[in-house]
Amino acid sequence: MSRRRPANIDANILKQPARFGFTIAACLLFICLSSKPLCADESDIELLAESRIAVVGDSITQAGHYVSFLSYQLQKSYPNRTFDVYPLGLSSETVSGLSEDGHAGGRFPRPCLFERFDRLLNKVKPDVLIACYGMNDGIYQPLEKSRFAAFQNGIQNMIAQAQQAGVKKIYLVTPPIYDYQPTDGSFNYESVLSEYARWETKLNLPNVKVIDLHTAMRDARKKRDQPFSNDKVHPNEEGHWLMAQTITSALGASETSMTLAEAKADPVFASIDAIRNLRWKAWMNHIGYTREKTYPPQPLGGSEALVAEQQEAIKTLLAR
């Protein structure tokens, strides 16, 4: 049975890990005592190759461009390896369980990862989890203790629950920037995301690697005249390309000299992007989720046969 949590929840409740059936400390102790640790000399690429990789996050992850670019860069860098990526982002989602008044015009509160996380872990059975949250978790308000605590608790519970389910390694990606530069000294939500990212970079947990996208994106933005995002939140394709490059670099892959336009023109990328689209729709429906309404779990159907066709096409292209 999945663990459900209201999308709009008092942050004090979030301080009670027993709601999820375990405490973080107890779960980490369980992991240390019973799970096989990663070898000290095992590289990220060796782990990622042949693993099931689930990518979770909000609308930026659901848009999926950086997920496709990431998969593409890994596959092109290591053509004899297989990178089995499951894109599972959900628009508006948080790990904090918070939602601002009037979200989506008052139609529905923000969804929370924990409504679907048990089902995701049970159905996908990922070996690796890549998670990028934070953009929605401060609900676009100034930094405030209880909201910050809700985000921190959500991240820690996500890690503990994933590891209890057998996930070998978690890559925690700090949130993208809030692309806004006020000139009048008014409130800038970017200051909140910077604090959230700073806290994540200080985490030191077993088999968790933090990838500081936020700093990389902020530094890149300072060198640009044009924003990465026209609505302050959702990066354009150039922003997604930077996200993918930042993540692949942190994973130890060699830097690419390829441009965004060259990547998009590559038939290998077309097949990888087709897999992302196929898998997002099929696996999200198979897992089930709640956003504006509840979408109960559905049979997976024949989507993986279509994925296999695209994977064979990729192998053929890479062998040329």
Side-chain angles (χ1 to χ4, degrees):
M1 182 179 293
S2 63
R3 299 180 179 92
R4 295 181 178 271
R5 185 168 69 187
N8 192 1
I9 187 167
D10 190 316
N12 290 325
I13 296 176
L14 288 166
K15 297 176 182 178
Q16 303 174 18
R19 178 177 176 81
F20 297 98
F22 55 88
T23 66
I24 294 169
C27 183
L28 292 178
L29 177 61
F30 170 83
I31 294 158
C32 291
L33 292 175
S34 63
S35 65
K36 182 180 179 181
L38 294 177
C39 298
D41 60 350
E42 185 175 23
S43 73
D44 293 290
I45 298 302
E46 288 170 340
L47 172 64
L48 290 165
E50 312 300 338
S51 288
R52 279 194 169 200
I53 306 165
V55 187
V56 295
D58 48 39
S59 56
I60 298 169
T61 301
Q62 180 177 330
H65 306 303
Y66 84 85
V67 182
S68 289
F69 293 145
L70 168 63
S71 301
Y72 173 74
Q73 290 189 44
L74 288 171
Q75 196 63 72
K76 290 288 283 189
S77 297
Y78 304 93
N80 296 322
R81 305 288 189 98
T82 298
F83 299 93
D84 199 20
V85 180
Y86 293 75
L88 301 168
L90 180 59
S91 182
S92 306
E93 192 168 75
T94 73
V95 291
S96 64
L98 303 176
S99 185
E100 65 272 43
D101 293 336
H103 172 257
R107 297 194 310 275
F108 61 95
R110 291 187 179 277
C112 180
L113 171 67
F114 296 103
E115 187 279 324
R116 65 187 179 109
F117 201 39
D118 267 353
R119 299 191 302 277
L120 185 157
L121 294 170
N122 290 334
K123 290 175 181 285
V124 181
K125 294 180 171 56
D127 305 293
V128 171
L129 182 72
I130 299 175
C132 184
Y133 286 98
M135 181 62 77
N136 297 327
D137 288 278
I139 59 172
Y140 303 90
Q141 298 297 314
L143 187 68
E144 188 271 331
K145 185 176 180 180
S146 65
R147 285 195 289 268
F148 196 3
F151 172 67
Q152 293 169 322
N153 197 60
I155 290 292
Q156 290 169 321
N157 273 308
M158 177 187 68
I159 291 168
Q161 192 171 340
Q163 291 181 326
Q164 189 185 48
V167 173
K168 297 175 183 177
K169 191 156 187 179
I170 296 165
Y171 296 94
L172 186 61
V173 182
T174 62
I177 60 171
Y178 186 73
D179 206 344
Y180 176 54
Q181 299 175 342
T183 58
D184 58 359
S186 58
F187 166 65
N188 188 357
Y189 186 60
E190 167 61 14
S191 63
V192 176
L193 296 183
S194 292
E195 286 299 315
Y196 284 17
R198 187 176 296 112
W199 171 79
E200 287 183 302
T201 61
K202 294 178 180 178
L203 287 174
N204 185 16
L205 296 171
N207 298 332
V208 176
K209 181 171 185 175
V210 181
I211 299 174
D212 190 7
L213 168 68
H214 191 87
T215 298
M217 200 168 194
R218 184 179 61 206
D219 291 346
R221 178 64 178 90
K222 290 177 181 177
K223 300 174 183 177
R224 293 170 56 94
D225 294 327
Q226 297 300 314
F228 282 117
S229 172
N230 290 328
D231 67 357
K232 306 181 183 69
V233 173
H234 301 94
N236 57 21
E237 284 193 332
E238 288 182 329
H240 279 263
W241 181 246
L242 174 64
M243 291 176 70
Q245 290 178 314
T246 301
I247 296 169
T248 52
S249 177
L251 297 176
S254 57
E255 293 186 10
T256 180
S257 59
M258 186 174 291
T259 66
L260 170 60
E262 289 170 338
K264 291 181 64 180
D266 189 342
V268 172
F269 175 76
S271 287
I272 285 173
D273 201 42
I275 289 173
R276 175 184 61 81
N277 280 298
L278 278 167
R279 275 191 164 158
W280 185 86
K281 183 175 181 180
W283 281 91
M284 288 293 291
N285 286 336
H286 186 49
I287 293 162
Y289 62 96
T290 295
R291 192 170 176 269
E292 189 166 359
K293 62 180 182 178
T294 295
Y295 298 85
Q298 302 293 322
L300 187 57
S303 62
E304 285 302 302
L306 299 175
V307 167
E309 291 177 7
Q310 293 292 342
Q311 289 172 332
E312 287 301 314
I314 290 169
K315 290 178 182 179
T316 300
L317 289 166
L318 290 172
R320 290 177 181 173

